[in-house]
Amino acid sequence: MLHRLWRLPVLVALLFGGLATVFVVFPLLGERGRERCIATWSRWLMRACGAQVRERVAPGAEPLSAMRGTHGAGRGRLLLCNHISWLDIFAIDALAPASFAAKAEIATWPLAGTLAARTGTVFVERGRRHAVHGVILRMGEKLAAGLRAAVFPEGTTSDGRRLLPFHGNLVQSALNVGVPMVPIGLRYIDPDGEPSHAAMFVGDTTFLASVWRVTGHPTLIVEVHVMRAIEPTPGVTRQQVAREARAAIAARLDLPLDDTVPEALRAVRETAAS
C-alpha cells in the first residue's frame, strides 16, 4: 500500500504534464518528434504504475522497438492485440507509438481520455455501422502514410486467462491499403513469473478503481510478445486474418480459446458487421 504514497502523485503529475505537452509542445513537433514524446511519456507512466515492459520477439518477427520513425518511409503496420487492461495501450506505446482504435467511452475518462484523443486515438462508437466504416477509413489513412495503428479484435477486455473471439472488421483497414498485420500477445505477470491479475479491467471495474489497484501492486511485469507479420496476400479476408492472429497469440501465450460471447456483445458485433 505504501507504493501509492509516491506513485499516485507522480501519476497525476504525468497526466497533467502530458496534457501540457499535447496542447503546447505537439503543435511545434513533426511526427517523429511526437512519437518520441509519446514513447518517453509512456515509459514514465508505466514506471509510475510500478510496471515494467518487456518485449518478447518470436522467431522471424520484427521487434516493435525497431519500428520507430517509420512515418513516410515504407509501409505502416496494423497491430492486432489481445486486450486485458487500459495499460495495454501505454505498454505498446512505450515500445512503438501507434494510433489505437478504442471504445468511445475512453474519451470520457478524466485526463486520460483527453490524452488519448490528442495522441491519435480513433474512437469507435459501438453498434453504429457507419461509424465503424469511418474508423476503417481513418485507420487506413494512417497506415497508408507509413504509421502504425493498433486494434483490439476481441472488442472488449478479458481476464487474460483466455482469448475471446477475434472480430475482423477493423482488419479491413490494413487490407484496403496492403500493409502487414502483426499479432501482439500481452501478458501480465509478477516477478516470480506467475500470472498477475492486478491490471485486469473487466466487469464493472471503473477506471479509477483500476488505477488504485495497479498503483498498490508491488511490481507488475508486462510482456509484449511480437509475432511474425501476416502479409496481405491476394484473396485473404479479414476473417481469415483475425483467425490466424488469434491462433498465433493463443499458441504463443498458451491460452485456451473461449468462443462463448455474451449476448450483448454478440448483438453489437452483428450490428457492426452488417
Side-chain angles (χ1 to χ4, degrees):
M1 297 298 179
L2 294 177
H3 301 291
R4 294 194 186 100
L5 292 179
W6 70 267
R7 286 179 179 171
L8 286 174
V10 171
L11 187 58
V12 171
L14 278 172
L15 290 173
F16 280 106
L19 286 175
T21 299
V22 297
F23 281 108
V24 178
V25 179
F26 269 27
L28 306 176
L29 300 176
E31 191 66 44
R32 292 186 180 182
R34 288 194 290 270
E35 283 193 356
R36 285 193 292 270
C37 282
I38 292 171
T40 300
W41 184 89
S42 296
R43 288 194 293 270
W44 289 348
L45 181 136
M46 296 299 287
R47 290 171 186 166
C49 290
Q52 303 173 13
V53 181
R54 296 181 181 176
E55 187 176 27
R56 300 286 187 256
V57 182
E62 180 184 12
L64 282 181
S65 54
M67 294 184 186
R68 289 195 186 123
T70 58
H71 179 64
R75 296 183 294 172
R77 300 288 191 278
L78 179 66
L79 312 181
L80 306 176
C81 319
N82 65 313
H83 199 12
I84 301 170
S85 171
W86 54 273
L87 283 173
D88 298 347
I89 293 175
F90 303 111
I92 292 172
D93 274 350
L95 297 171
S99 294
F100 282 82
K103 61 183 181 180
E105 293 91 326
I106 290 179
T108 66
W109 289 359
L111 300 181
T114 302
L115 275 171
R118 301 288 296 192
T119 53
T121 300
V122 179
F123 294 110
V124 183
E125 296 183 54
R126 293 177 177 176
R128 291 187 57 191
R129 182 182 59 188
H130 296 298
V132 172
H133 291 321
V135 171
I136 291 172
L137 291 175
R138 291 179 63 191
M139 298 288 279
E141 290 171 355
K142 294 176 182 291
L143 293 168
L147 299 172
R148 289 170 299 272
V151 299
F152 297 112
E154 289 172 293
T156 187
T157 52
S158 76
D159 57 12
R161 292 177 287 191
R162 58 208 163 89
L163 276 183
L164 300 177
F166 273 26
H167 194 51
N169 271 0
L170 298 182
V171 173
Q172 193 63 46
S173 61
L175 294 178
N176 286 347
V177 296
V179 301
M181 295 144 285
V182 184
I184 303 292
L186 295 161
R187 176 161 57 197
Y188 291 80
I189 61 174
D190 288 326
D192 60 3
E194 290 299 311
S196 174
H197 304 301
M200 191 171 61
F201 189 50
V202 295
D204 297 327
T205 304
T206 65
F207 174 63
L208 292 179
S210 179
V211 169
W212 181 259
R213 185 171 64 239
V214 166
T215 54
H217 194 70
T219 302
L220 186 63
I221 296 170
V222 191
E223 292 187 342
V224 180
H225 291 260
V226 186
M227 278 145 273
R228 188 192 301 266
I230 302 170
E231 293 292 333
T233 54
V236 69
T237 67
R238 61 193 185 190
Q239 292 84 2
Q240 290 171 329
V241 172
R243 287 194 295 269
E244 183 176 346
R246 187 184 185 217
I249 294 172
R252 177 76 178 182
L253 301 183
D254 193 23
L255 293 177
L257 302 180
D258 184 349
D259 291 314
T260 59
V261 182
E263 288 302 316
L265 182 57
R266 188 188 304 277
V268 169
R269 289 184 168 185
E270 289 175 351
T271 302
S274 61

